[in-house]
Amino acid sequence: MSFTLFSYRSSRVGVVTAGTLLGLPALANAQETVSSGDTAWITVASALVLFMMIPGLAMFYAGLVRTKNVLSLFMQCFVITAIVTLIWVIYGYTLSFDAEGMVAGGHGLHAFIGGFENIFMRGMTPDSVHGTIPEALFFVFQMTFAIITPGLFIGAFAERMRFSAVVLFTVLWVSLVYLPVCHMVWGGEGSFFGDMGVIDFAGGIVVHLTAGTTALVAAIMVGPRKGYGKVPMPPHNLVMTLTGTAMLWVGWFGFNGGSALAANGKAAMAIVVTQISPCVAGLTWAVIERIRIGKPSALGFATGAIAGLAAITPASGSVGPLGAVVIGLVSGVFCYWAATSLKMKLGYDDALDVVGVHGGGGLVGTLLVAVFGAGVLGGWEKNLDILHQLGVQGLAIAFTLVYCGVLSVVLLKAVDGLVGLRVTAETEEEGLDLGDHGEVGYDF
Amino acid sequence: MSFTLFSYRSSRVGVVTAGTLLGLPALANAQETVSSGDTAWITVASALVLFMMIPGLAMFYAGLVRTKNVLSLFMQCFVITAIVTLIWVIYGYTLSFDAEGMVAGGHGLHAFIGGFENIFMRGMTPDSVHGTIPEALFFVFQMTFAIITPGLFIGAFAERMRFSAVVLFTVLWVSLVYLPVCHMVWGGEGSFFGDMGVIDFAGGIVVHLTAGTTALVAAIMVGPRKGYGKVPMPPHNLVMTLTGTAMLWVGWFGFNGGSALAANGKAAMAIVVTQISPCVAGLTWAVIERIRIGKPSALGFATGAIAGLAAITPASGSVGPLGAVVIGLVSGVFCYWAATSLKMKLGYDDALDVVGVHGGGGLVGTLLVAVFGAGVLGGWEKNLDILHQLGVQGLAIAFTLVYCGVLSVVLLKAVDGLVGLRVTAETEEEGLDLGDHGEVGYDF
Amino acid sequence: MSFTLFSYRSSRVGVVTAGTLLGLPALANAQETVSSGDTAWITVASALVLFMMIPGLAMFYAGLVRTKNVLSLFMQCFVITAIVTLIWVIYGYTLSFDAEGMVAGGHGLHAFIGGFENIFMRGMTPDSVHGTIPEALFFVFQMTFAIITPGLFIGAFAERMRFSAVVLFTVLWVSLVYLPVCHMVWGGEGSFFGDMGVIDFAGGIVVHLTAGTTALVAAIMVGPRKGYGKVPMPPHNLVMTLTGTAMLWVGWFGFNGGSALAANGKAAMAIVVTQISPCVAGLTWAVIERIRIGKPSALGFATGAIAGLAAITPASGSVGPLGAVVIGLVSGVFCYWAATSLKMKLGYDDALDVVGVHGGGGLVGTLLVAVFGAGVLGGWEKNLDILHQLGVQGLAIAFTLVYCGVLSVVLLKAVDGLVGLRVTAETEEEGLDLGDHGEVGYDF
Amino acid sequence: MKKIEAIIRPSKLNDVKEALTATGCQGMTSIEVKGFGRQKGHTEVYRGAEYVVEFQPKVKVEAVVPDDHAQAAVEAILKAAATGSIGDGKIFVSTIDEAFRIRTGESGEDTL
Amino acid sequence: MKKIEAIIRPSKLNDVKEALTATGCQGMTSIEVKGFGRQKGHTEVYRGAEYVVEFQPKVKVEAVVPDDHAQAAVEAILKAAATGSIGDGKIFVSTIDEAFRIRTGESGEDTL
Amino acid sequence: MKKIEAIIRPSKLNDVKEALTATGCQGMTSIEVKGFGRQKGHTEVYRGAEYVVEFQPKVKVEAVVPDDHAQAAVEAILKAAATGSIGDGKIFVSTIDEAFRIRTGESGEDTL
Ligand SMILES: Nc1ncnc2c1ncn2[C@@H]1O[C@H](COP(=O)(O)OP(=O)(O)O)[C@@H](O)[C@H]1O
Ligand SMILES: Nc1ncnc2c1ncn2[C@@H]1O[C@H](COP(=O)(O)OP(=O)(O)O)[C@@H](O)[C@H]1O
Ligand SMILES: Nc1ncnc2c1ncn2[C@@H]1O[C@H](COP(=O)(O)OP(=O)(O)O)[C@@H](O)[C@H]1O
């Protein structure tokens, strides 16, 4: 490793400072380049998104499995956090956000993947700036999204996938699926989806649709749990799942509100709709259960709420309260159907319903933003042509489904060949906690 | 639903921008109207208050009940969150904060309840401003207070009230009790209590006294749990209750500190006293237990701390450290007495001690702020006439007790007639989790 | 108590406002003295550090003990929070940060301990300013550090130390160890370590080294748990420990990022390295376990992560990503060795591995910052002479070890004489929850 | 000596304990069990997946008593544990050959 | 009457319950137990401290049946609970002197 | 065959297990139970509400042994489980008519 790696450049990103606009003397520049208010908010938003992963998602998922596998879910969430952090430091950030060589409307390599300018954070100092926040903070905020996305799909193959396979698959998937998709959507001018005009405020495509697609492929390829459909596999700790739900919910304020990259009215309005949608979706799920089963369950409300949160994610920068209500309603109904009827009909064992909830939610939101983003329907997108936008969103969805689906198949095959996807039957029987990690969750 | 509903007005609230003060060119206006620092803090404060409800309060309460009812507390917290959010969106915010038609000193309708200008968030855009923060953020922050208030009183009738009754009562109570009281206190110039000069920084009256009063009425009207006083009903998971306590405590920084509606010295000082009071109250409770029972319990400390937090709430913008110490001390002693001796003497089954802790705490703080807000006693209220202020606070307390008490009786009667207040004896026996929701909390 | 105690001075700390620099009219001053963005961030950072103590550390520790002692850990964390808060209000803050009488390079009393100017927060109003934040906020932020430090070492004597002894020892230790060490390091110009040029950004010495040293002394002096080494004492709830780990991790963003006392690039970069180090350290620990035992455990990853967080703490303002990777790696290896081999070899019963993890981590970070703070190794310290700085850091470490070690012996002797260090054999057998607090953690 | 095993409703444990001690029984042991019988179970539904739980939570109380106390003990339990609804439980009586008190090493009926 | 005590693998409880009911047994009681035997335990390691856990989670099913049903019940369990690997468990048969139904106070084989 | 049921202190389980195996007993089953007896309980107080908990946590160890090993087994337990304080527990011995090993279907003393 050569030391020139660390001869950092100063401020990578040019910004038009408020000072310049005001015609204040240059002295003001340094002071106003970074907004301490925006920085404060995005710092907290980053912490909130990390909090969604650990402990939020870990608790949400781990409560749903059987006691013998509770730690395996936690461990996978922790280790994914660690691995993706290191990928992000080494080559993830640069491949997602290095804009070197991008041309608006171009369809060369860099429309699909970033460059290598910022490899191992090259050039980033405490003084580097991105918009109105330190670049290091932009780095952290985006990192948390890269962390939680693979975290989501582990729910699909919970209770049976080998730990080493999860690790290896995460490395490959983040490198070959997440980074390109992230770049295509959020890479700025010259990025494939970005230039198409795709709207994805906080990751309906980048996060939920990719996770949902991979979850479907993985649930099928890893195969159902031993006894699935015959042996009862009720959640071992719904209290923990509900606690995790609440943490995800609150953290989502940072996820969606933070995606404004500033502490302003846009962030606040994003939070308003991020609150409305899960409320409507959770109530919708509860009402369906009330009608069909006779009793609204807490797990049902929670599942609906997460679906509503996933669905509002891509739309949260564009829709108003009306859109949020409709997105909540549609995602509640659609995800209920996807996670119960559809799953049973198709027969795959998506253990923790990643496909139905995140895939379904991501789909609903990514499409409906094209409708309810329009000013006439209470949205904030000026000049939105609903039909055209629906086409754009649909295209992006289709491309992502295919790209992510095919890659998932290939990578899972590779991982199977290298280390084997599944634990042994004995480990599955005694539980992954003992089998993979040599410990147990509780000893009351 | 007509689309004109969504022809939003821009910025509802006039503000004197810093730019104007500085005599900078108009260009600066748009930029400086909203303070990104204040916005960052109130955004986080809103997230903190939501965090107090889910999972904070849910955990605090659910840990105190028996295993068979653990999910019912969570479900009620979640569904109240959802319902109040929708009420807030549709008519709650406007009835609380629409200042249309308010006259300083007037005693017309609008001294007691807001107008309909902002129904379904009409007129609110990402550009609307309230003071130095986006109006959408003010909307969210106040919403979280409306959410947690009915959340508090469910502790009184825990383990026996029918889920549908809780839902219906919440809708009625928020509409007919919370919204008016909130408007009377925080509605600004022309509001009933506001014009009287009532001091209630963060909700001693609006939140804790209303919740405590309703808790008392409900505990009596719903009746004691089957076996109350004969069968032991110890908490099933104190660890969860203590975790919830800590979350409430930390969240209270947002509750009280956020009530400054800015990131400034007032917020910081509010947080200082918000830290001092629960420490003193918790220690006080522990010392009392040490003397009377021989052992200071963790639950005792936690209960005292929550009492201290409730008590400092109305006072946190006015008192200094001396006031915080005294408020902590008095609330520790008073709430201990109320939650143990008084409750036993009167014989009502306030399952989770909402009356003693929140009613008691709210009472103590609302009165003592009139004393320790005075500069001579270390407070920040200039020109405070202690005796006069005590009268004002007492009057507001009395009015609230009567209004809230009477309404609670009426609404509970109505709910009883419509859906029945109590679950069946069998459901109470097997637990609300199975009976009302068809699921169980743990399956280790 | 005389009322003159409360005749507060206004703004204690002189600041050069940005307004002055810009040559704006005086009117701007009041407005710009306090940065609302910095205030927002440090407010949240304070909440995050409090969140690390309750519930973070409480859960992390309580999950590791046996069921019968779970509440005792929670209670100790809560009561320490309360006691240290009151100490901080009364004399802690002033003895740490009152700069009265300090002379750069002086070695008088005030190089080692602050003055009494701010006793019982004298002179602090909502308008007092410290740097760009309200002084009340600086007060709160520093208070949270004083709270968590004694919280850390209770892990060493968990499951056997008498509650009253913990209380008494905390009072003495904070007064005679924490306050002076804090002053020596962070007291500003004229402080002992500060003038030496010691680098300790967020508390490698002040927090982790002191806690680790005292933990070692206490583990030895209190003696091993009954049956230690013979009876199995596995953690009773690893799920809770992992949840606590995640809370500590996220909270550490506030701990280290907040130590910049501003929302800026320095804070952001501190957070970047605060994320990298635990990831590397956790993975390192897991890999060691994989090699030595065959299975990487979730507890192992978590322990490594906390070690990595402790280690990066003093260095987080100085090192870049390279330094973070190396610090993570070294702390992972060193703390693994210290918490397993070294502990077993020396035979003391450090129940929850405070010595190995916090002592070890603090040591590694305090030394390595002298190396990786250098610009040539990717750090941000201009003109850092590595060898000289190593000497300075080593000296400070040695001084702290001796001072803190000797004081710990003396204070524990005193506490033993006054109330007795250990619970009775019966209480140890039936558990501290029943014995000291009269309650039990779970009743499923 | 006779061993009385009574499978009862969890909520009746305290009543049974008091009834037994009233007959002079000085010790007993209780165990959380799950019972299957005529009492029908309940259904739990998690995201559409139904689980029929046929085993009910019950408590088993075991008391070893001198032969001539057995009948009184049984009658006491019958009285204390009955509610009249399905699921009240059973009592089984069997023979114990020998009993020892660990603390003292004694054996025989005196140890009970 | 005979009491059949079967110590089985937890995962076999449902099969055993169905096999028993198929033989006409209308009630039974199950208990979570820990078993020690030929089946070897596992090792847990917490921060370097090794714990060998020799007791395995098992379930004990107790069913009291009329004398002439005992053999059928034992055979049903033997069939339903066997996997062929070490740790399948044991069945113990003993004699019950008397049985009572708490709900009605009846005694005898009809109560089972 | 004899069934030895020993109600002991939870902390003595390991000692009892080793003592029993030392007498040649190759298997046993342990159960968490709550015991009521001469040993007095404790009081818990939650917000002023006092609960007297009279049942103590105990462990019941069940081992079925050949008739001629029974005495040795009892003696081993008596030795391993005693502390001399009230609450050490009891040992009850009863008769088992038949035993089966589920894995193989064998019956008789060899299955133990
Ligand atoms: N033959 C049996 N052997 C062992 N336990 C039994 C038997 N029959 C019933 N039980 C136990 O008694 C409980 C109550 O039996 P059940 O048939 O439901 O009601 P009831 O005793 O009122 O007729 C069951 O849950 C089970 O634990
Ligand atoms: N002598 C015994 N007395 C009581 N329980 C026994 C005895 N021997 C075995 N068990 C129980 O049977 C279970 C299975 O026994 P084990 O020897 O492991 O396998 P297997 O029955 O297949 O030979 C043990 O875990 C234990 O619970
Ligand atoms: N007659 C009995 N039948 C069943 N179990 C008993 C009986 N007497 C005592 N026990 C069990 O033995 C345990 C210890 O008994 P106890 O009277 O407290 O002490 P000791 O055995 O030392 O006299 C009790 O907790 C209970 O579980």
Side-chain angles (χ1 to χ4, degrees), chain A residues 191-218:
Chain A
S191 63
F192 182 50
F193 288 159
D195 281 5
M196 276 168 60
V198 167
I199 302 177
D200 185 5
F201 190 63
I205 293 173
V206 179
V207 175
H208 297 284
L209 206 65
T210 60
T213 308
T214 300
L216 179 61
V217 172

Side-chain angles (χ1 to χ4, degrees), chain D residues 71-89:
Chain D
Q71 201 185 332
V74 167
E75 276 162 17
I77 297 175
L78 282 176
K79 211 154 157 196
T83 69
S85 326
I86 292 183
D88 276 354

Side-chain angles (χ1 to χ4, degrees), chain B residues 185 192-193 196-200 204-205 209 213 314 362-371 384-403:
Chain B
V185 179
F192 182 49
F193 288 159
M196 277 168 59
V198 168
I199 302 178
D200 186 4
I205 293 173
L209 206 64
T213 307
L363 206 67
V364 167
T366 302
L367 284 173
L368 289 188
V369 65
V371 180
L384 184 81
D385 174 340
I386 292 184
L387 279 186
H388 170 78
Q389 191 65 38
L390 269 174
V392 168
Q393 302 291 105
L395 223 73
I397 290 172
F399 185 96
T400 306
L401 284 176
V402 171
Y403 178 74

